[in-house]
Amino acid sequence: MNLEDIIKETKTYYCLECGKCTAVCPVSRHNSNFSPRMMLERALVGFQNELIHDRELFSCLTCYACSKLCPSEVDYPVFTQKVRNLASGEGEHGDCTHSGIIHTLMRLMSNSDIKQKRLDWLDGCRTSQKSEVLYFVGCAPYFEPIFEDIEVSPINIVRNSIRVLNALGIEPMVLPNERCCGHDLLWTGDVETFKKLAQLNVEMIKESGAKKIVFSCPEGYRTFKIDYPQYVKLDCELVHITELLVQDLSKLSLHPRAKQRGSKLGAKIVTYQDPCRLGRHLGIYELPRQIIKAIPGIELVEMEHSCEESICCGTSVWTNCSSCSKEIRVERVSEAKATGAELMITACPKCQIHFKCAMVDKGAEKGPDVKMEVMDLVNLVADAIEEGK
Amino acid sequence: MPEFEPRIIAFCCNWCTYAAADIAGTSRIHYPVNVRIVRVMCSGMVDPMYVLKAFEKGADGVLIAGCHEVDCHYLNGPLKCDAMFAKLKRVANALGLGDERLRREMISTSESPIFAQVIEQMVQQLKSLGPSPLREGVKV
Amino acid sequence: MEEIKTGVYICHCGLNIAGTVDVEEVARYAGTLPSVVVARNYQYMCSDPGQALIKDDIRNLGLNRTVVASCSPRMHEPTFRRACQDAGLNPYLYEHANIREHCSWVHYDKQLATGKAKDLVRAAVRRVSCNEPLEIKERPLNSNVLVVGGGIAGIQAALDIANGEHKVYLVEKEPAVGGHMAQVDRTFPTLDCSECILTPKMTEVGQHPFITLLAYSEIKEVLGSIGSFKAKIRKKARYVDAIKCVGCGECEKKCPRRTDSEFDMGLAERGMAYIPFPQAVPHIATIDRKEERPCKAACKDACPIHMNVPGYVSLIREGKLREAYELMRRTNPLPAVCGRVCFAPCEDACNRGQMDEPVASRALKRFVADQVNVDDLEIPQVTRNGKKVAIIGGGPAGLTAAHDLALKGYEMTIFEALPEPGGMLRYGIPQYRLPKEILKKEIAYIERLGVEIKTNTYIGEETQFEDLRKSYQALFVATGAAESLRLDVPGEDLPVVIQAIEFLRNMNMGKKVEVGKRVIVIGGGNTAIDASRVARRLGAEVRIVYRRSRQEMPAASEEVEAAEAEGIKIEFLAAPTKIIAEAGNVSKVEFIKMKLGEPDESGRRRPIPIIGSEFVVDSDTVIPALGQTSDVEFAKRLGAKTSRRGMMVVNEATLETNIEGVFAGGDVTTGPAMVIDAIAAGKKAAQSIDEYLKGEAVSPKENERTPQKLSEEEVSALKKRFPYGDRVKAEEMEPEARIRSFQEAQRGYSTLEAQQESGRCLASQIEGCIECGECKDACEADAIDFSQTDQVIELEAGTVIVATGYDLFDPSVIAQYGYKKYDNVLTGLEFERLTCAAGPTEGKILLKDGREPESVAIIHCVGSRDQNYHEYCSRVCCMYGLKYAHLIKENTQAAVYQMYIDMRCFGEGYEEFYRRVCDEGVNFIRGKVAKVTEVALTEEEKGKLIVVAEDTLLGRIVRVPVDMVILCPGLEARSDAEDIAKLFAINRRADGFFLEKHVKLDPVATATDGVFIAGCCEGPKDIPDTVAQASAAAGKALSVISRGRVVIEPTIAHVNEILCQACGRCEEICDFHAPRVISKDGVRVSSVDGALCKGCGACAVVCPTGAMSVSHFTRKQINALVEALLEV
């Protein structure tokens, strides 16, 4: 796909150069070198080289804050995605975080004959081989060791997801050799490998005979729901765990937390961070809130920016995590603290990783205190169910 | 068909193991040709990424070798390397990459025979294991 | 982006490479690689023509990258980098492929080896395309040098550098430089005196224009790196003004508190104010003040003569009674008297009193005085100045003045009207309060000072006042107040009436005194009490009648209580109106009741008669004690001013009268007052008279001081620290017993009681100086300054030399050697002090009991070469052991035994010295000593120390009886070595000594660039080696300085500030403190100190965003290498 097509596909032609996009963009606010409007501008005047070799191409969070306001409905995130594809052809990958180990892992997963050992954490979860419901685990088994040092446990989230499903009377199946959904590769422009991963996943799912796939990770959900169809065919019902929960909230006996048992569910007042994939990408704002409100003894307060206007966790797809993205996170955490909440709930493991990471301050000379408890919605629910037992 | 020849990438610290390999040379200690040495200043400099990169690009085994704690040129390099290596193993393990393909050694300048030995062993081991499962995806 | 043009050069290295690798083929292959514009192969690339190839191609083909495939980069990378540089290509745009050591030499199969060589070359080509030009950076260098430790090593290093005219800061923890060497007597093997060779160096260090000596100072913090270290140094307060102090040592002489002298290894004592040793540099005193005195020493301020109460009390606590007595005598010529009859204002003021009860300083004073026989006191030799001073009146004031002036060399004469001197002490105060023999002794001492006392001489009879003025240059009138005030009531002159003063005087003169059955004493002062208690002892029923109430009674309350205890009744608010005679000695006294009105000038409420309240009391004897006045007739006649209340008028501040050369003091000027006031007056007069006769202006003596109280907070804090404790009561006779005799009612403290009571004194309970102020008084330069506080000095230096020396191994942990258990088991350093002419024994080798030893054993390897203590050999013990043997032989008749394992005499002239000592007839016994014991098995062993060992050469167990055992303890790392190591990031060996950068090839450098080590902090060594190493370290520092700048290698970590999030992970993992999170114009980023970074890359691995990377070893470069190596 060349720049022409991209411009067509993303309605860039219609750009009015009104600059709303840049005005609302969290990155632009902290990084003057980055402007969605200017990017489009370049594309329109055909400065392809300049465009794809600009490091800021990989600074975009593809959080959809811009497009939501765009009077011409230019799909800037997809524009970015496609242009990055062009860029990666020229060896541009942006500044990969963690030395790029995560992208490499994903690429490695695209090998058809690997036999992963990714399910050594299933204890306490009831799964079944011939269930119609498949739970898509995602990257948790790989993130676990990598983010140990910032005390985030993605495994804990997926384990709790299954427990929650169990509580709903579902014993899902999990794929022992599941592959990365490819989200991050797609959004960093490696469409090739993305396709491979998609095919591998789809094949396995078909073999498994699953009819319904449940996701706890918004990125996986978005990828299957919106991106896969463009490359592979899969007819399965796709649901996000929040959707399931909301239907059957009544089935669960949710209890206010007891202080003991070091339950993570510590706060009375909580606030909710909308993950961009779940929120602006898929329009799921209310469900998580309903679930939180359904838990007794917890009061939900909203941040200054929430739902459609909420601010992203500051970095995405493991590239260009810069001082700017730190500032975005610090700003967001401050917003959360300002609500008086003791706990920030989010529905995306990456939000949690990025916020926790922004709180690391190991130097002798300390910075402003942005420490705050961050926790996944699923864990919150799981704890509330635990209390019931 | 010819016997499978494993390919080994060896990250060697400049002060100990790389020097040991040099001395293996000067003292004509022969060892299998399968190894390719990457010179790093300290074993603590090896990023897990480099190792995965090696596998991505088709290595069958990777060796990370440097000073013993006591003679580290940078005080605690080996310890830092060990910490990195532990993390790396967990990731590699999830990928289904057997322990045998990853090796961590401490080989001082005076231990060139040991260096040769280690390579010998790895080659044998990898031959019996066969090619790395991560090899297929190699883009040429 | 410019096009990359790479040149590749394959070296044959003769057949070393070409023998196994098809170099043509490799070169051909290289030529096919992208970006390669030229690929050659050549016999010897390292040869000049080989290098020329590269240079020419760079110039002619415009190469911007080069790769050489040859031997190990550890060998020739620098060579080819230089070649590139010569041709104008940045040396870091060069890459090296190791196809010899890592290929041709380790593989047989030519085809495989060639294949591998291709891989290596391909990888190098790929990597070099990612290389970036790097610059060697430079930073200015501060040429100052910080030398830590003022032992011989530090001194030597400091001098070497300073003589090179670079600034040196020499920091020494102790008050003076010199270290252990200053304590050593002679140095082996030359036997020259250690002091003599060290002192000039110390002096030089003290005076060198390029050396700033910071003694008594410690390093608190060190930041920065080579070229720019920033050090914070705590300069400990000496409490002595270094500029004013002239090092006269008076303060130490006067300091009442003593402690073991560190310098003399505890064989001698030093004051709390002290100069560690005679040659000390800097030569100024230091006050060893460990903490602030917990109390305010109000006692001292309250005392009219400011006796050093905390001083003598704490000496009593330490059991140093003689010293305590001497301290009291410095200010008070009548301690035994005051110890009994002083009304002790010190006790009223005592701060301990705010907690529970005041310290019984008077009783303690008496205790000390009673321990000393005044008659045995030596008389100080005073040179007479020929001037004569007369004192009229032999009471406490007169005696004190005489005492003080006599000590100043004046010829003193006291004229006393009564048969014996002492005034009221002699004739007023009754025996049971102040035994006369006590007083006699103290007066006798004053006479022994050369004071002549003319008794029974009333001035105004034979001797006239004028005569005295003629024959004496100065006069001090201290005639007291011995005249009774009259009652002025009818019947006052009846025989039944006797004035108290007269009554007491008669008693004290031993006259026969009789009183009737019923005695009435009128008055409320001490005299009234004395009179009534005496009367009681004479068997009378005594009743005191006082016109005011109890509160107004001037008498000391304890006296009043004692009186009442003895059955004396006290009637308040009544005054006599007349005394009526009856038949015989019987009489009646009529009293009138009083009530209290407004306060009078004395501040006491004035008694007012209640009209019609008269009542009559029978009595046989009436003793009025209304108070006294003075007889100043003679003074009047002379025209001396007198007051309406019958006292002489003087200038309070100087005690001068209106007559030139005539001074007056005591009761005669103040009216009846306390003993201690009289003594104070005497002292004041003495000073004034001294000034007057020296022809100086007579200065006012304002020594009034207000005692300070403790604040509430202080009190509660002190209560936590010091447990509650009532004062120890001295044993007292029962009242019944008391009234049957005239012997002293109060018994003195027992030694135990005294120690207990003195232990209650807050000041006596702290370590070190208690600020008693003796030094302050003694210091003529006025250098003592207790207000000083520690100061923190910040300084900058480019290099550091650490020379913190060693600790001596403490042999007391080896129980079987009996150190600290047996008197005559010494350590080497203690023996050094013994043989030192300036030492505690003036260089005589003596046993503790003062005898000269007949036999001495010297035990080697104490704590060295011993798995239980230190595995290593301390390297100096054999030689100093030999030195001791020689010195003993030289100075005594004693037989000497060397108990050794091996003799290690490795240095210049050492072996010769060993031979020499052998020839001197020293016995060498090879064997490690098992034990030293006093348990004798035979007669000849009795009273000796028996050294038990196996003579391994004879294979026989020997028991050597000796008088003295000298242990040769090893050297060990200083107890604070760890802290120092942390400060400067120096590594330490397992044995605790500092680790050099390279044991063989870099023995004075450390892991931290710019920090060097010298002397015993690096390991045990003798003086020559230490000095050599010090000079080496100085040389190292100088070479850094002379380079004038710090060169920063380019292959170090650097931060991409766009990506950095200041999480500090890099700072946490770095062992060299290179990266630190700082705020750079408002933004927090990590920043790398290039001079500290060693380029190990650990920080890059932990950096989550990729902000941190190591130049020339970037992720890009290593990835490229790995990828290329694996391509097929």
Side-chain angles (χ1 to χ4, degrees), chain C residues 209-223:
Chain C
F210 281 89
I211 298 178
T212 305
L213 175 55
L214 297 166
Y216 208 46
S217 306
E218 284 180 56
I219 310 240
K220 269 181 62 188
E221 178 188 279
V222 180
L223 293 176

Side-chain angles (χ1 to χ4, degrees), chain A residues 13 22 34 36 40-41 64 66 101 105 107 129 163 184 219 227 250 252 284 323 348 353 363 381 383 385:
Chain A
Y13 275 127
T22 307
F34 178 75
L40 295 173
E41 187 84 22
Y64 267 104
C66 46
I101 190 172
L105 276 169
R107 272 194 283 280
Q129 286 318 312
R163 289 196 184 132
D184 296 342
E219 294 190 339
D227 302 315
S250 50
L252 302 171
I284 300 181
S323 51
C348 176
I353 289 168
V381 176
D383 280 359
I385 295 170

Side-chain angles (χ1 to χ4, degrees), chain C residues 174 183 259-266 268 270 274 288 290:
Chain C
E174 301 299 325
Q183 291 175 280
T259 183
D260 286 351
S261 150
E262 297 83 357
F263 182 79
D264 279 323
M265 300 306 291
R270 62 161 172 86
Y274 70 109
D288 181 359
K290 302 248 189 313

Side-chain angles (χ1 to χ4, degrees), chain C residues 281-295:
Chain C
V281 173
H283 196 69
I284 49 178
T286 304
I287 294 178
D288 181 359
R289 182 170 178 242
K290 302 248 189 313
E291 64 172 296
E292 208 169 307
R293 187 187 50 226
C295 73

Side-chain angles (χ1 to χ4, degrees), chain C residues 879-894:
Chain C
M879 291 310 296
Y880 73 67
L882 289 173
K883 178 184 74 184
Y884 298 162
H886 170 82
L887 291 174
I888 296 163
K889 280 288 174 197
E890 191 176 58
N891 301 310
T892 71
Q893 303 307 316

Side-chain angles (χ1 to χ4, degrees), chain C residues 619-692:
Chain C
S619 104
D620 309 312
T621 312
V622 181
I623 307 179
L626 299 193
Q628 301 101 274
T629 174
S630 311
D631 159 23
V632 288
E633 283 318 306
F634 68 93
K636 284 205 183 115
R637 265 188 269 113
L638 245 127
K641 269 215 211 81
T642 58
S643 71
R644 141 183 92 69
R645 296 176 62 240
M647 293 171 238
M648 287 182 75
V649 177
V650 292
N651 170 343
E652 301 255 328
T654 60
L655 298 187
E656 291 165 295
T657 63
N658 57 322
I659 307 167
E660 161 89 23
V662 177
F663 300 75
D667 290 0
V668 71
T669 64
T670 61
M674 304 297 175
V675 181
I676 193 70
D677 298 316
I679 295 175
K683 300 190 79 66
K684 198 193 269 187
Q687 289 167 23
S688 293
I689 290 169
D690 181 45
E691 285 165 352
Y692 168 71

